[in-house]
Structure formats: C-alpha cells, structure tokens
Amino acid sequence: MTSVLSHQKDHEHEEHGHDESSLKIFGFWIFMITDLILFATLFAAYVVLRTRYNGGPTGEELFSVPIFTTSTIILLTSSFTSGLAVLGLKNGKVNNAVGWLIITVLLGMAFVVLEITEFASMVDEGASISTSAFLSAFYVLVGTHGLHVSVGIVWMIGAIIQLMRDGISEVTTRKVNVVSLYWHFLDVVWIFIFSVVYLMGVM
Amino acid sequence: MLENVKKFASEFFVTGNTLIYAADISIVLTSLSIVFALTYFKKWGWLWREWLTTVDHKKIGIMYLISSLLMLFRGGVDALLMRTQLAFPNMEFLNSEHYNQIFTTHGTIMILFMAMPLMFALFNLVVPLQLGARDVAYPFLNAVSFWLFFFGAMLFNLSFVVGGSPDAGWLSYPPLSENTFSPGPGQNFYIWGIQISGIGSLATGINFLVTILKMRAPGMSLMKMPLFSWSVLSSCIAIIFAFPVLTVTLGLLFVDRFFGAHFFTLDGGGNPMFYINLIWMWGHPEVYIVVLPAFGIFSEVVSTFARKKIFGYKSMVFALVSISLLSFFTWVHHFFTMASNTVDAFFAVTTMAVAIPTGVKVFNWLFTMFRGRIQMKTPMLWMTGFIPTFLVGGATGVMLAVAPANFQYHNNYFLIAHFHQVLIGGVTFGFFAGMYYWWPKVFGFMLNEYLGKWAFWLWNIGFYVTFMPQYALGLMGMPRRSYTYGWDMGWWPLNFVSTIGAFLMGAGFVFQVWQIVYSIIHRQRDLTGDPWDGRTLEWSIPSPPPVYNFAVIPQVEKQDDWWYKKQNGSHRNKAVKYKPIHMPKDSGIPFITGFFWFVAGFGFTFEWVWIGLSGLIGVAVSLFTRYLQKDTDYYIPAEQVEATESAIGGARS
Ligand code: HEM
Ligand SMILES: [Cu+2]
C-alpha cells in the first residue's frame, strides 16, 4: 500500500508538477475567504437593520441567555473534539480519529437541533422572519450559519465513511484535515454571532 | 378539471404576442431537429462521452464559446427590437411592459450570459496552455462551473416562454423588484438564473487563481508570466471578493420575496438603499472583472502583431493589479444623486483614479506599436479599433465621475452611450480579438480574413453610428429606459441614425457567423501550431493541442519564452524521453449537479417548494457521491504519448 502510494507521488511530482494535497488545501483556504466575505456581508446587513424593530420584539426580549450559552459551549467543544480527531490521525490511530469525528458530528447535530427549537419558540411568540427588518436579518444570519453547520455534518459523515473504508492514507488525511478546518471556521463565525448578535442584543 | 388545466396553462405559458408565439415555435422546432439529428446520426453516446462528461479545459472552453455566441445572438435580437421601437416617435411595435422586459433581459444576458462566459471561454482555452500546464487546478470543479453557468442561463432564458420575463432592470432594484410591485415568477427567474451561474463563476475564480499561482511551468516566475495570464489573475482576485456579495444580495432579495422578510422593502423597517449599495459593491468590480482580461488580450495581440516585446511589462502588471483593487472603492458613483456630498467627493476621486493605470496601459500599447513591424491581421484590427473607442469611453467616464455634473447626465442616454462604449469597444471587441487570435490554436484551422474584415468594419462603423448620437440625445435630456417619445421632443433624427447603426452591428454579427461557417467548410488547416509567429508557450504545441497539452513540461527561461527559444534555435531540441502522464477522468456528475440546480431553481421560481427541495437534495446527493469516489484519475502510458506525438509531428513537418 505505502509503496504504491509513494510511487504515485513520484509521478505526480515529475509529471503533474505539483502535489495534489497541498493544491487542494490551498484552494480550500481561498474558498474560506469567499465564505468569510459572505458572512461579512450578512453581518453588515444585521448591523444596518439591527434596530429596526418595526414595533416588534427586540433582541433583549427574545434571546435567552441559557440557550445561546449552551449552543456556544456545544460548538466550542465540537471544535475541540474535531481537533482531537486530527491529532488521532496524526498518531496513526484510525479508530480513535473515527470516534472523535462521530462525537463531533453528534455535537453538531445537538447544536442544530437547539437552534431549530430556539427559532420555533420565537416564531411561536409571534417573532417571525416577516415581523421586522431586525428579525429578518437575525434569522438569515444565524440560519445561514446553521445551514453551514448542517452541510458540515454531512461532509464530516462522508469523511468518516472514507476513513473507515480506506484507512489512513494521504487522501483521507487530507479530507479529515479539510473538514476540520471548515469546522473551526464555523466556530470562529459563531464567536462573532455570539458577540455581535446575542451578547450585544441582551446588553 | 379541464378548466383548471386551461387556467394553469394560460398563466404558466407566456401568451398574447406574435413574437413570443414565433419564438415558441422556433424553440420547439430547433429542439426537435436537434433531437432528430442526434438520433438519426446515432450521436447521443458521442455527445455524452465527448462533451457532456468532459473535464478537459479545452472542450469546456469550446462549450463556453458556443453558448456565449448564442447568448450574444439573443441579447443582440433584444437590442435590435428596442432600437426598432425607438426608430420613430410614438411607435407601437413594443408596449411599455414589453420594452421593460427586453431591456432587462438584454442587459442581464449581455453581461452575465454573454460577456462572462465568453471571458471564461478564453480563460479555459488559453490560460493552462500559456502557463505550460496540463489542465486547470481542479478539472472536475471546472466542469461543475460550466454546467452551473449553462443551466443558470437556460433557466433565465426559459422566462421568455414560461412564467414571464423579469422587468425591473438588469440590477433589479427594490422596491420595484419586491413582491408588492413585481409579483409572479419573472424576478425569481432573474434571481435563480444569476444565482446558479454566479456560484459557478465564483468557483471558476478560485480555480484559475490557484491554477495561475500554483501550476506554472518550472522557471516561469510571476514576473515572466504572459500578460493575459496576469489579467486573468487580477480578474479572479476581483471575482473572489465580489461574487460572494452578489450571492448574498440575491439571496436576501429572494428571502424578501419568498418568506416575506423585510431587508429591502419599504415597510417593516426594510432599507432599499442597502440593496443598491450591495449590488454595486459587486456590480462595479464586475465590469472590471470583464474588462481586465480584455486588456490582457490586447497586450498579447499587440506584441505579437507588432513583433515586439510589450512596452513597460512591469507597469502593465502594476496597472492590472491596481485597477482590480481600485474597483472596490468606486461603487457609489452609480448613485451620486442619492448619497451625501462628502461621500460623493470621495468616490468621485477614486473613480477618476482608475483612469491613471488605464492611461498607463494605453500608452504602453501605443509605445509597443511605435516602430513595430505591424501586421494588420483580424485580431490586430480589433485591437486598433479598440483604442479610439476606449479613449472616448474613458473620457466620458471621467465626465460622469465629476459628481456635480453627474446630476445632469444621470440615467439618461449619455450614460447609455458611455457604458456601451466601454462594454462594446472595450470588453466585446477585446474578447473578439482574443477569439480571432486563439481560434487557430483551439480548432487547428484558420478563419477567413476577408470576411473577418467585413465583420470588423461593420461592427466598428455601426458602433459609432449607434452611440455617438446617443451622447447628444442624453444632453438633450432623453431619459434611459423610455420606451417611446413624441414628435415634439426633437429626438427623432438622432434616434433614427442610432437604429441604423444598431442594424449595421447586427450585420457585423451575421458576417462573423458566415466567416465561421465558411472557414469550417473551406478548411485551411494550421499545421505549424504557430500561425502568427507567437511569443508565448501556447504556440509551442500543436493545434489543436492533444489532451495532455504538453508531452513534456517546458522549462521556462525568459519572458516570451517561446519567442526567445525560436530566436536562439533551442526550440528544436527533439531528443526527449516521454513519461506516463497523470490525467483526470471524465465524469457525468458535473452535468447532473447542474441539472439538479436547474430543477431547484425552477421549483423555487414558481414557489413549488417540493420541486425546489428535491432539486437541492439531488445536488447534495451527486456531490456526496463524488466526495466518496476513489477512482478519479488515470495515467496515459509513455508509449501512447510517443505514438500521439509522432502522429502529430508527422502531420506538422
Ligand atoms: C449589439 C449592440 C448593442 C445595442 C444596439 C444595444 C442597445 C441597447 C439599448 C437600446 C438599451 C436600452 C436603453 C434603454 O432604453 O435604457 C441597452 C441597455 C443595456 N445594454 Fe445594450 N446594446 C448592445 C450591446 C450591449 C453589450 C455588448 C452589452 C454588455 C456587454 C450591453 C449591456 C447593456 C446594459 C447593461 C443595459 C442596461 C439595461 C438596463 O437598463 O437595465 N449592451 N442596450
Ligand atoms: Cu462603476
């Protein structure tokens, strides 16, 4: 297995003129820049519209400190566990890595479920996306992040399947690295949502 | 039941206009004859294997080229319809509603479905060859980008026959584009057509940025890279920063329309001005995204046909990059009349600042031509036609940038003349120059020069005849987007002249088509691979290039490396040992993904949520399948490379 791999790598260096994995990771960083701009634009929308309550509820009335603190803790923990998975991979322990990835996925799901229940209860209180510009901006910003987390979950499941199928290889290592990079990125975006939307909202 | 079907059909299909019925019939007939021809000649398998599943950048480039020329035809017909309506006062050819739809689809199609794909065609056809690379960085993603563009464009064009066309202008300003004022599927077609193809454009931007930064042949430092590749690099940087903003802007507008949110509405605390800021934060860079590669093309063409190294290479690079960055700080000039004085002052200065690097480029081109041994082949003809048009376009642009004066020309025909001057004289002429220049490389045969000259002169003269009168009309106060005017305004003679010019340009297009068809039939093969005596690496390989482009990756020593090697004779070094070549495998997934995006877009356009969602699930499943795939590339054995090379070599010598 390893000899085939290194043989292939030789070819790539000679004939393709570059190394496949580093090329893909580089492109992924550029993709993250574009995703960052996407979120920056949504934050701008939120900042522009955040005080336009249109007679509807304000952030202070809607946000519940225990809920958003719990979400934050869950997501931060999941970022940590995805880091542990990468570490496990580095040490060559497949099962350990798979285990941490599964825990990360479960935490991610818990985060999404919590977000959905939070949204549902807000809508029940009569605070829907069409109530005010403030709420439109809130739902779209936070919801886009939630959607990204959901995509990340499916993506990570794909990585787990391959890790279990193929064991540790250059390809699976890269895939786990990339998805965990993405996961950290979503964590960073959440820190901003936590501060700009929730903390500033209840203060 | 039957009543329901009837009612549905009368709302679903666009009815009530002979033009549309004629279009319906021709669409059905064309589709049927294509299906028939493919079946009769047993070409379905060929179509699927060779084209729909290809990940080869050259074939993808050809598909972009064909689609963009078709879109140029559609956008051009729209333009002629409008000019016909305006040829006489009080014409009753198009009513106001129809006119609104036509200028909207014309503008949108010309920029997003003609200029962008024509540009991507040239990116694909040329950049890897110029860099000495075997393909782009991500060939699979490249195919996905193409199919997203293709299905986005299909969706947008569908609005012509079902549901109804958008009519709120090419940038779809709210509150007009909101549900209250534009109910129905028209605006949704706009949103989803552009959204889908825009995601593809973003991916292309990333793809070519990485290709240029990481896949250059050994020895080609950035400062030895051909200027077209530099212009693509600057364009891609702008794509990467601008297109996410477009994605969000369209997304928010859709959320407003679909969920009743209040981002840009007049009620509920929404802010329409915020949309206008956002869309121009994308829109202004967008026009530079399309013009920068045209600058790159002119640089290649001028140095090839003047047979001289480009004058001021470093300042050219600097100008490209600085234009790309400056383009992000000028957007407010599109609505000077709506911003405050200090804001206006800042943006007036940044806008004028763009003229400086642009001026540098023009002088460098002129200096390159100065004392060169100029050959007036068709690509060079478009280049020389461009310089005066662009100078006038630039000068009127600076006039528009003077914020107080802008209050005078804002939204009248002066503006229409200005932006067509840069979009046609700069972008379109530039891409034509590129198409003519690289055609022999891509297809392996020459285009007829005689018909090409006719096409050029018709376009060029037609251009001035159409747009010079419009500057005057603007100063006489004729507002843009007016569908008719009275005899008493005194605008008739100039409008009439302008319409004649538009038909001259239409004739120019007909000559181009004729030229292409004629040259296909009377094929004059290019056996040299280097018909213009070119300077850069793409001319060092056969035309059309083999799948793997370069049998052996070249070692670059100088700027204009191929020219340099021809001068000192080192290009004839034939004693090579071939090695197996690593290539990506073809795949049907990009096409299928694009198709599911189409389904999703179609569903959401009509607010048929289940269709929309199943489209999105289809997209997710196809990409997930790809993610799990292992067997994605292969090796071409050395013997096969050798056989291919000696077969081509035999034909070449
Ligand atoms: C072939 C020659 C062309 C002719 C005769 C032509 C003519 C026109 C006319 C009559 C209008 C409507 C003016 C109005 O009523 O406000 C228009 C608008 C426009 N054109 Fe063209 N055009 C041509 C080519 C192009 C090209 C090549 C592009 C872009 C690459 C372009 C981009 C636009 C845009 C963006 C608008 C504004 C649409 C809007 O108001 O929303 N046109 N053109
Ligand atoms: Cu602008």
Side-chain angles (χ1 to χ4, degrees):
Chain A
M1 182 67 209
T2 39
S3 79
V4 171
L5 251 174
S6 64
H7 173 71
Q8 259 192 1
K9 267 186 78 178
D10 282 350
H11 270 308
E12 268 158 15
H13 279 291
E14 283 169 21
E15 286 306 314
H16 220 134
H18 60 82
D19 152 24
E20 198 80 30
S21 276
S22 72
L23 193 68
K24 291 207 164 140
I25 291 177
F26 181 70
F28 188 73
W29 278 98
I30 312 272
F31 160 75
M32 284 204 296
I33 294 179
T34 65
D35 218 20
L36 197 66
I37 299 170
L38 184 137
F39 276 110
T41 318
L42 289 174
F43 271 106
Y46 182 79
V47 170
V48 168
L49 302 172
R50 75 183 186 290
T51 54
R52 304 199 173 205
Y53 303 119
N54 187 33
T58 63
E60 203 177 349
E61 293 158 28
L62 286 171
F63 303 150
S64 129
V65 181
I67 293 189
F68 71 74
T69 321
T70 318
S71 307
T72 309
I73 292 171
I74 293 178
L75 204 64
L76 288 181
T77 315
S78 77
S79 210
F80 180 66
T81 55
S82 85
L84 288 179
V86 171
L87 206 65
L89 213 59
K90 252 198 201 124
N91 297 333
K93 297 186 202 148
V94 184
N95 291 337
N96 174 291
V98 169
W100 285 120
L101 284 177
I102 291 178
I103 294 177
T104 311
V105 165
L106 292 176
L107 288 169
M109 286 173 172
F111 174 85
V112 173
V113 170
L114 202 60
E115 184 161 292
I116 292 174
T117 42
E118 186 202 9
F119 281 11
S121 76
M122 281 170 67
V123 172
D124 274 350
E125 289 168 38
S128 78
I129 193 167
S130 56
T131 310
S132 66
F134 154 67
L135 280 169
S136 306
F138 166 80
Y139 279 112
V140 169
L141 171 59
V142 181
T144 306
H145 176 269
L147 214 59
H148 273 68
V149 174
S150 315
V151 170
I153 290 172
V154 178
W155 188 343
M156 203 171 271
I157 293 174
I160 295 172
I161 294 175
Q162 289 179 77
L163 201 52
M164 289 165 65
R165 184 183 71 187
D166 305 340
I168 298 180
S169 71
E170 194 191 319
V171 174
T172 51
T173 309
R174 182 191 77 226
K175 288 192 171 174
V176 172
N177 271 317
V178 165
V179 75
S180 105
L181 208 59
Y182 183 65
W183 203 261
H184 292 317
F185 165 77
L186 294 181
D187 208 40
V188 173
V189 173
W190 179 259
I191 305 283
F192 279 95
I193 293 183
F194 173 76
S195 342
V196 174
V197 177
Y198 288 102
L199 276 188
M200 285 165 73
V202 294
M203 265 173 0
Chain B
M1 177 65 199
L2 193 66
E3 275 311 298
N4 281 339
V5 172
K6 259 192 193 156
K7 184 167 171 296
F8 168 79
S10 73
E11 279 166 14
F12 185 71
F13 294 106
V14 178
T15 50
N17 183 306
T18 28
L19 274 176
I20 294 190
Y21 291 132
D24 287 348
I25 294 171
S26 63
I27 288 172
V28 171
L29 287 182
T30 317
S31 322
L32 279 181
S33 51
I34 291 174
V35 170
F36 177 77
L38 285 171
T39 314
Y40 186 79
F41 294 107
K42 301 204 174 61
K43 287 288 187 191
W44 285 105
W46 167 83
L47 185 68
W48 176 256
R49 275 190 316 273
E50 296 289 320
W51 296 97
L52 304 190
T53 59
T54 187
V55 296
D56 180 347
H57 67 96
K58 300 177 284 298
K59 286 186 179 167
I60 291 177
I62 293 174
M63 293 193 290
Y64 269 121
L65 182 65
I66 296 172
S67 331
S68 61
L69 291 179
L70 286 173
M71 287 293 103
L72 176 62
F73 174 73
R74 152 104 212 243
V77 170
D78 280 348
L80 294 183
L81 291 175
M82 287 188 289
R83 281 315 321 168
T84 308
Q85 164 66 19
L86 295 176
F88 294 95
N90 306 326
M91 277 277 275
E92 284 176 24
F93 177 60
L94 305 172
N95 59 29
S96 64
E97 205 182 312
H98 201 165
Y99 190 88
N100 291 349
Q101 295 179 348
I102 292 189
F103 72 65
T104 303
T105 53
H106 163 79
T108 311
I109 285 181
M110 282 297 198
I111 294 197
L112 288 152
F113 300 127
M114 188 286 281
M116 288 294 274
L118 191 50
M119 171 178 99
F120 289 150
L122 294 166
F123 281 21
N124 270 287
L125 294 172
V126 180
V127 170
L129 304 183
Q130 264 198 340
L131 300 178
R134 294 237 159 89
D135 207 319
V136 295
Y138 317 114
F140 177 86
L141 182 68
N142 195 26
V144 173
S145 292
F146 172 76
W147 290 110
L148 289 187
F149 148 71
F150 180 85
F151 282 108
M154 292 287 273
L155 186 64
F156 186 85
N157 278 282
L158 202 62
S159 69
F160 186 62
V161 284
V162 299
S165 298
D167 59 1
W170 82 282
L171 285 181
S172 203
Y173 280 9
L176 179 57
S177 57
E178 291 282 1
N179 245 344
T180 336
F181 303 100
S182 303
Q187 284 318 309
N188 295 340
F189 270 120
Y190 172 94
I191 291 172
W192 284 96
I194 299 182
Q195 187 71 296
I196 292 170
S197 66
I199 296 170
S201 307
L202 186 56
T204 306
I206 297 176
N207 212 337
F208 279 85
L209 180 89
V210 178
T211 306
I212 292 172
L213 291 181
K214 296 280 178 185
M215 312 244 314
R216 294 183 317 269
M220 186 187 283
S221 64
L222 279 175
M223 286 320 246
K224 286 184 191 145
M225 188 164 77
L227 280 173
F228 177 63
S229 293
W230 259 112
S231 71
V232 174
L233 179 63
S234 359
S235 169
C236 287
I237 293 174
I239 290 180
I240 285 167
F241 285 96
F243 268 75
V245 181
L246 175 69
T247 308
V248 173
T249 313
L250 293 171
L252 298 185
L253 184 61
F254 183 71
V255 171
D256 266 8
R257 293 175 56 85
F258 189 74
F259 295 105
H262 293 290
F263 284 99
F264 313 124
T265 52
L266 287 175
D267 58 342
N271 182 352
M273 258 328 277
F274 184 53
Y275 178 95
I276 297 175
N277 272 287
L278 284 179
I279 198 81
W280 281 114
M281 279 177 184
W282 160 76
H284 189 83
E286 164 65 14
V287 297
Y288 285 83
I289 286 167
V290 286
V291 88
L292 285 168
F295 290 169
I297 292 166
F298 289 130
S299 304
E300 302 287 335
V301 167
V302 79
S303 84
T304 300
F305 292 98
R307 308 172 72 72
K308 271 172 70 183
K309 203 165 118 182
I310 191 86
F311 186 89
Y313 175 86
K314 280 191 187 140
S315 62
M316 287 301 230
V317 170
F318 181 76
L320 286 170
V321 177
S322 54
I323 294 173
S324 140
L325 298 180
L326 273 175
S327 72
F328 283 91
F329 301 98
T330 65
W331 79 88
V332 171
H333 64 213
H334 295 277
F335 41 96
F336 276 142
T337 50
M338 298 191 246
S340 73
N341 283 344
T342 33
V343 173
D344 278 2
F346 172 80
F347 283 93
V349 171
T350 52
T351 304
M352 292 182 211
V354 177
I356 300 169
T358 316
V360 168
K361 299 193 73 72
V362 173
F363 279 113
N364 284 342
W365 289 319
L366 292 176
F367 281 127
T368 310
M369 285 193 252
F370 184 64
R371 296 218 173 124
R373 282 170 288 147
I374 298 180
Q375 291 171 313
M376 270 300 161
K377 300 279 185 185
T378 33
M380 189 60 186
L381 214 50
W382 290 96
M383 158 77 205
T384 33
F386 148 82
I387 290 192
T389 16
F390 204 76
L391 283 179
V392 179
T396 53
V398 173
M399 284 169 74
L400 283 160
V402 180
N406 181 282
F407 281 62
Q408 193 59 39
Y409 337 109
H410 182 64
N411 269 356
N412 69 29
Y413 261 84
F414 191 90
L415 172 77
I416 299 283
H418 155 72
F419 75 66
H420 281 93
Q421 184 110 37
V422 282
L423 282 173
I424 298 183
V427 177
T428 314
F429 282 14
F431 294 166
F432 285 167
M435 184 180 86
Y436 285 108
Y437 180 57
W438 282 298
W439 184 282
K441 174 55 48 196
V442 175
F443 295 102
F445 64 90
M446 311 295 292
L447 283 175
N448 182 288
E449 286 277 314
Y450 179 75
L451 290 171
K453 288 190 172 144
W454 270 93
F456 167 76
W457 285 111
L458 282 166
W459 265 100
N460 207 48
I461 295 170
F463 172 79
Y464 286 98
V465 177
T466 314
F467 292 104
M468 293 303 125
Q470 293 188 7
Y471 284 116
L473 281 170
L475 296 177
M476 289 158 75
M478 177 164 166
R480 77 187 278 199
R481 297 176 177 171
S482 25
Y483 85 102
T484 191
Y485 53 92
W487 285 103
D488 52 336
M489 306 304 290
W491 297 338
W492 172 63
L494 288 172
N495 267 302
F496 187 73
V497 173
S498 177
T499 302
I500 295 180
F503 278 91
L504 288 178
M505 278 190 275
F509 181 73
V510 172
F511 267 88
Q512 286 179 298
V513 176
W514 182 9
Q515 177 191 20
I516 291 174
V517 174
Y518 180 91
S519 313
I520 291 174
I521 297 172
H522 304 268
R523 201 175 292 231
Q524 185 197 341
R525 293 269 341 239
D526 161 42
L527 297 175
T528 61
D530 187 10
W532 314 122
D533 200 3
R535 312 176 71 84
T536 40
L537 288 181
E538 72 271 30
W539 304 109
S540 69
I541 53 174
S543 334
V547 248
Y548 47 74
N549 300 346
F550 295 86
V552 177
I553 299 288
Q555 176 73 40
V556 174
E557 290 162 49
K558 288 253 176 3
Q559 184 199 329
D560 288 350
D561 194 64
W562 174 239
W563 177 261
Y564 164 76
K565 286 189 174 136
K566 283 192 285 189
Q567 296 306 335
N568 71 13
S570 62
H571 67 303
R572 284 189 199 286
N573 200 351
K574 283 286 177 204
V576 282
K577 193 175 154 294
Y578 295 112
K579 292 185 190 141
I581 295 179
H582 186 217
M583 294 299 288
K585 272 191 181 163
D586 288 350
S587 165
I589 294 180
F591 178 85
I592 295 170
T593 312
F595 174 75
F596 278 123
W597 267 113
F598 178 85
V599 174
F602 185 78
F604 288 120
T605 294
F606 285 93
E607 310 201 348
W608 295 336
V609 179
W610 290 113
I611 297 189
L613 286 180
S614 40
L616 288 183
I617 291 171
V619 171
V621 171
S622 18
L623 292 180
F624 195 74
T625 315
R626 168 68 183 188
Y627 187 60
L628 298 186
Q629 236 170 25
K630 271 164 81 171
D631 190 19
T632 56
D633 28 23
Y634 70 106
Y635 281 88
I636 305 179
E639 306 77 62
Q640 198 179 325
V641 177
E642 187 160 7
T644 316
E645 285 297 303
S646 61
I648 307 171
R652 272 174 104 188
S653 56

